[in-house]
């Protein structure tokens, strides 16, 4: 009874001191929203009232979580990206794709009637204490900080892209920190460092050029006096990033960048279908899990690739294969008997099952982090965006075998399956990395909660870097180095001039004495 009273008191205390937080996540990428939904849920569980703007309303009610505005889907990505669309959409540079499809186009949602009503009449009973926005391509939504007069907290579902660093003056040490779009190791040679530097600078310039029109969007839908988008970006107080040193390496970071890699990983309240649980338990020789995430339709791949999958997967029997296929009826005939397909499955529960032996993946960060947490080795077949870099990292960490889709053959697929299933080094290394990934002073969830509450308690500028008030040439000490260089050259010039003057004076004196001797 006493324990119950204490728990009840703590719950009431948490609710009484709870904050009201607005989450703005308009981009309709389910893989992105998985992290943001979990972030808002853990804040709600903490006792804060969270209001969410997104295209993904909850299917079941959750205490303190309110779907404030459910946006129409601009582009249906969920289980709807075909092989042909992947090739077309990502034919342009990743920077341009993020800046336009994930940036400018998303900012047009500011014209939504419900968002306009929120902008014109923000709630005051109680008012908001903070706003959390996705930092990806549409940083225009950070304007809510000005509108609501509250701190802005950024959340990135990936390792932040190069242009995100400028929002919080996070230092880019391009000598050993490759861009998250470049598959280089941290120990780069000269030419790799050269390319990393030039490419990163170019990507930042390209993003700034493409997203400059977000200023016009703000002035069109918010106010003619709305600030420039580059100034809006600088209102972000901290960024919660989906990275961790065990995977992404050591990097220079400002305190305003908080690593919460794996925040989304949980299976609380997730039900495992009895038929699937029975299938996994009966897979006594183990099973391989095969999924290309929440967007890609494997069934849309050209027949030559599907034949490779069919033939190679059949050879590993009696090892079974669990395959995520959104529309199984669209698969061509010939599916091997050891392959079981489902349109959806609780991925975390699958990856933590005792009989899972490997994960065939496209390299999405969310899914691969789940595999890392549970020590499952990978076969990576990257398709777009940061997936190439993710898989390259996992190969260097000895937890994955990589296959290129454009050069995929049955022999290569056979070799990858044989290696990942029969070479113990991959599973042993994956288990070691799992322990390292989970060894933290605070869990990802507790870390996120602490720093969100910290900013609300101490204000938007609590972790603001002084570098935000300096020009790039001041941050890089170009002015100081230039001054020292000029001063050094001037001092050397003066010294040389003085030496030459003394030398000439001595020569002149010696010459006069020589003439006097000759006259004498």
């Amino acid at each position: 009874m006493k324990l119950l009273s204490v728990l009840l008191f703590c719950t009431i205390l948490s609710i009484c001191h709870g904050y009201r937080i607005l989450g703005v996540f308009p981009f309709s990428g389910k893989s992105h929203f998985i992290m943001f939904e979990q972030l808002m849920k853990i804040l709600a569980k903490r006792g804060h009232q969270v209001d969410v703007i997104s295209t993904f309303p909850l299917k079941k009610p959750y205490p303190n979580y309110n779907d404030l505005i459910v946006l129409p889907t601009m582009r249906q990505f969920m289980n709807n990206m075909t092989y042909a669309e992947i090739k077309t959409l990502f034919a342009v540079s990743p920077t341009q794709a993020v800046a336009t499809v994930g940036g400018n186009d998303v900012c047009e949602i500011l014209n939504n009637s419900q968002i306009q009503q929120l902008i014109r009449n923000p709630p005051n009973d109680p008012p908001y204490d903070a706003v959390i926005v996705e930092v990806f391509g549409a940083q225009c939504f950070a304007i809510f900080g000005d509108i609501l007069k509250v701190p802005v907290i950024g959340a990135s579902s990936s390792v932040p892209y190069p242009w995100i660093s400028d929002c919080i003056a996070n230092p880019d040490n391009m000598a050993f920190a490759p861009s998250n779009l470049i598959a280089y190791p941290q120990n780069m040679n000269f030419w790799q460092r050269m390319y990393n530097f030039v490419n990163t600078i170019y990507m930042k310039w390209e993003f700034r050029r493409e997203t400059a029109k977000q200023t016009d969007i703000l002035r069109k839908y918010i106010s003619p006096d709305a600030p420039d988008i580059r100034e809006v970006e600088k209102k972000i107080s901290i960024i919660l990033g989906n990275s961790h040193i065990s995977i992404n390496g050591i990097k220079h970071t400002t305190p305003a960048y908080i690593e919460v890699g794996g925040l989304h990983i949980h299976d609380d309240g997730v039900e495992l279908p009895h038929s699937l649980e029975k299938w996994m338990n009966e897979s006594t020789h183990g099973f391989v899990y095969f999924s290309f995430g929440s967007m890609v339709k494997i069934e849309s791949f050209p027949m030559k690739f599907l034949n490779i999958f069919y033939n190679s997967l059949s050879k590993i029997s009696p090892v079974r294969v669990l395959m995520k296929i959104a529309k199984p009826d669209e698969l061509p005939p010939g599916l091997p008997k050891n392959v079981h397909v489902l349109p959806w499955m609780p991925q975390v529960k699958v990856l933590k099952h005792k009989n899972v032996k490997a994960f065939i993946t496209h390299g999405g960060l969310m899914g691969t982090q789940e595999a890392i947490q549970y020590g499952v080795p990978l076969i990576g077949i990257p398709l777009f965006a940061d997936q190439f870099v993710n898989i390259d990292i996992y190969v260097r960490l000895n937890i994955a075998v990589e296959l290129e889709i454009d050069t995929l053959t049955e022999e290569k697929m056979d070799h990858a399956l044989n290696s990942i299933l029969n070479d113990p080094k991959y599973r042993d290394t994956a288990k070691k990395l799992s322990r390292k990934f989970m060894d933290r002073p605070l869990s990802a969830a507790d870390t996120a909660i602490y720093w969100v509450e910290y900013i609300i308690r101490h204000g938007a500028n609590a972790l603001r870097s002084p570098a935000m008030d300096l020009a790039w040439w001041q941050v890089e000490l170009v002015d100081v180095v230039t001054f020292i260089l000029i001063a050094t050259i001037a001092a050397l010039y003066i010294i040389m001039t003085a030496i030459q003057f003394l030398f000439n004076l001595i020569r002149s004196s010696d010459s006069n004495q020589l003439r006097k001797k000759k006259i004498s």
Side-chain angles (χ1 to χ4, degrees):
M1 188 67 182
K2 184 177 180 181
L3 177 61
L4 182 62
S5 300
V6 171
L7 291 173
L8 181 62
F9 174 75
C10 291
T11 302
I12 294 172
L13 187 66
S14 174
I15 293 173
C16 291
H17 288 79
Y19 300 116
R20 189 174 187 184
I21 301 170
L22 176 65
V24 185
F25 313 110
F27 180 63
S28 55
K30 180 64 175 178
S31 59
H32 289 227
F33 188 70
I34 288 172
M35 174 185 172
F36 308 140
E37 178 183 320
Q38 181 63 7
L39 172 60
M40 301 310 284
K41 280 184 174 180
I42 61 176
L43 289 169
K45 189 176 182 180
R46 176 81 168 189
H48 305 305
Q49 173 60 46
V50 301
D51 295 334
V52 179
I53 300 173
S54 77
T55 59
F56 301 101
L58 294 184
K59 295 179 180 179
K60 296 180 181 179
Y62 196 89
N64 299 332
Y65 187 115
N66 172 40
D67 283 306
L68 183 68
I69 299 174
V70 179
L71 299 169
T73 302
M74 294 178 60
R75 165 70 164 83
Q76 180 57 262
F77 289 107
M78 186 75 169
N79 292 326
N80 199 40
M81 187 175 288
T82 65
Y83 179 84
E85 287 178 314
I86 292 171
K87 291 298 181 181
T88 302
L89 182 61
F90 293 95
V92 299
S93 74
T95 305
Q96 188 175 355
V98 173
T100 53
V101 178
N104 301 341
D105 295 351
V106 178
C107 286
E108 291 288 343
I109 294 175
L110 284 168
N111 192 35
N112 177 277
S113 58
Q114 290 178 284
I115 290 183
Q116 283 292 308
Q117 184 177 353
L118 175 64
I119 291 170
R120 308 306 170 195
N121 300 289
N124 293 310
D125 187 25
Y128 287 110
D129 296 291
V131 58
I132 301 178
V133 301
E134 178 179 12
V135 287
F136 183 54
Q139 278 66 267
C140 55
F141 289 93
I143 194 68
F144 274 100
D146 285 352
I147 295 169
L148 302 174
K149 296 178 174 54
V150 295
V152 180
I153 294 165
S156 175
S157 62
S158 66
V159 178
Y161 288 83
W163 49 85
I164 301 301
S165 295
D166 295 339
C167 298
I168 54 173
N170 201 50
D172 290 316
N173 194 319
M174 289 172 271
F176 66 86
S179 156
N180 73 320
L181 291 173
I182 299 176
Y184 284 163
Q186 287 202 302
N187 296 325
M188 294 178 281
N189 60 37
F190 172 79
W191 296 111
Q192 289 173 329
R193 285 185 285 114
M194 172 77 78
Y195 180 80
N196 185 46
F197 172 76
V198 173
N199 185 263
T200 300
I201 296 299
Y202 176 78
M203 283 192 291
K204 286 188 174 188
W205 173 82
E206 184 182 19
F207 181 84
R208 292 169 67 91
R209 182 196 65 190
E210 292 287 344
T211 57
K213 61 182 67 176
Q214 291 184 21
T215 299
D216 299 329
I217 294 173
L218 290 172
R219 290 172 181 171
K220 180 180 179 181
Y221 298 136
I222 305 299
S223 166
D225 300 323
D228 184 274
I229 183 59
R230 303 284 84 93
E231 293 303 314
V232 173
E233 290 174 337
K234 293 179 180 179
K235 300 296 179 69
I236 297 172
S237 299
I238 61 172
I239 292 176
L240 305 174
N242 192 18
S243 64
H244 190 259
I245 54 173
S246 64
I247 301 171
N248 306 107
I250 307 298
K251 297 181 181 179
H252 290 168
T253 57
T254 174
Y257 179 69
I258 316 295
E259 288 197 313
V260 292
L263 172 70
H264 68 288
I265 303 174
H266 77 101
D267 63 347
D268 299 335
V270 178
E271 296 181 1
L272 182 64
H274 176 71
S275 59
L276 176 58
E277 184 176 21
K278 182 175 181 292
W279 185 91
M280 291 192 296
N281 289 338
E282 292 175 350
S283 301
T284 53
H285 293 278
F287 68 91
V288 173
Y289 176 51
F290 190 165
S291 172
F292 280 169
S294 62
M295 297 190 295
V296 178
K297 293 178 64 177
I298 296 176
E299 59 271 31
S300 72
F301 277 46
M303 194 63 209
K304 68 174 183 176
F305 295 129
L306 294 178
N307 280 332
I308 290 172
F309 296 149
Y310 282 13
N311 295 337
S312 290
L313 295 175
S314 68
K315 296 174 187 176
I316 64 173
S317 182
V319 174
R320 289 172 155 187
V321 179
L322 179 61
M323 202 170 184
K324 186 258 181 185
I325 301 292
K327 296 181 179 179
D329 58 313
E330 294 185 9
L331 277 176
L335 191 71
K337 292 181 180 180
N338 64 323
V339 177
H340 181 54
V341 300
L342 288 173
W344 176 89
M345 58 206 74
Q347 184 162 280
V348 170
K349 286 191 176 294
V350 171
L351 289 171
K352 68 188 294 187
H353 195 276
K354 62 180 181 179
N355 289 338
V356 67
K357 285 184 169 291
F359 180 20
I360 302 176
T361 172
H362 64 327
L365 186 58
M366 299 294 183
T368 53
Q369 284 181 337
E370 291 165 3
I372 287 169
Q373 177 148 321
Y374 296 108
V376 181
L378 311 165
I379 294 177
I381 309 176
L383 301 174
F384 55 85
D386 62 346
Q387 296 163 10
F388 297 93
V389 176
N390 295 339
I391 295 300
D392 194 74
I393 290 172
Y394 305 147
V395 169
R396 286 198 298 272
L397 291 172
N398 282 324
I399 65 167
V401 175
E402 181 174 6
L403 295 171
E404 295 181 5
I405 189 65
D406 292 332
T407 60
L408 185 63
T409 64
E410 188 174 329
E411 291 73 23
K412 291 180 179 179
M413 188 75 185
D414 291 346
H415 182 265
L417 285 165
N418 181 65
S419 297
I420 213 74
L421 292 174
N422 299 317
D423 189 339
K425 77 172 182 181
Y426 293 105
R427 178 163 289 274
D428 292 344
T429 308
K431 294 295 184 185
K432 290 179 182 178
L433 182 59
S434 171
R435 292 192 291 270
K436 191 174 181 181
F437 182 65
M438 297 175 67
D439 190 359
R440 316 180 190 194
L442 289 174
S443 69
D446 289 337
T447 300
I449 289 172
Y450 176 82
W451 289 109
V452 168
E453 293 177 343
Y454 182 93
I455 289 297
I456 295 175
R457 288 195 301 267
H458 301 295
N461 295 328
L463 295 177
R464 190 176 191 273
S465 171
M468 296 291 289
D469 300 319
L470 301 175
W472 70 267
W473 45 270
Q474 293 174 310
V475 173
E476 300 297 335
L477 295 176
V478 173
D479 52 343
V480 173
V481 172
T482 302
F483 175 81
I484 292 173
L485 185 61
I486 292 173
T488 301
I489 292 172
L492 290 173
Y493 176 78
I494 292 171
I495 292 171
M496 293 300 294
T497 301
I499 291 173
Q500 187 174 14
F501 174 78
L502 291 173
F503 180 74
N504 291 337
L505 188 64
I506 293 171
R507 281 187 63 185
S508 176
S509 176
D510 291 343
S511 179
N512 288 336
Q513 289 179 3
L514 185 59
R515 280 200 302 270
K516 288 179 181 179
K517 287 182 179 180
K518 287 181 178 181
I519 293 171
S520 300

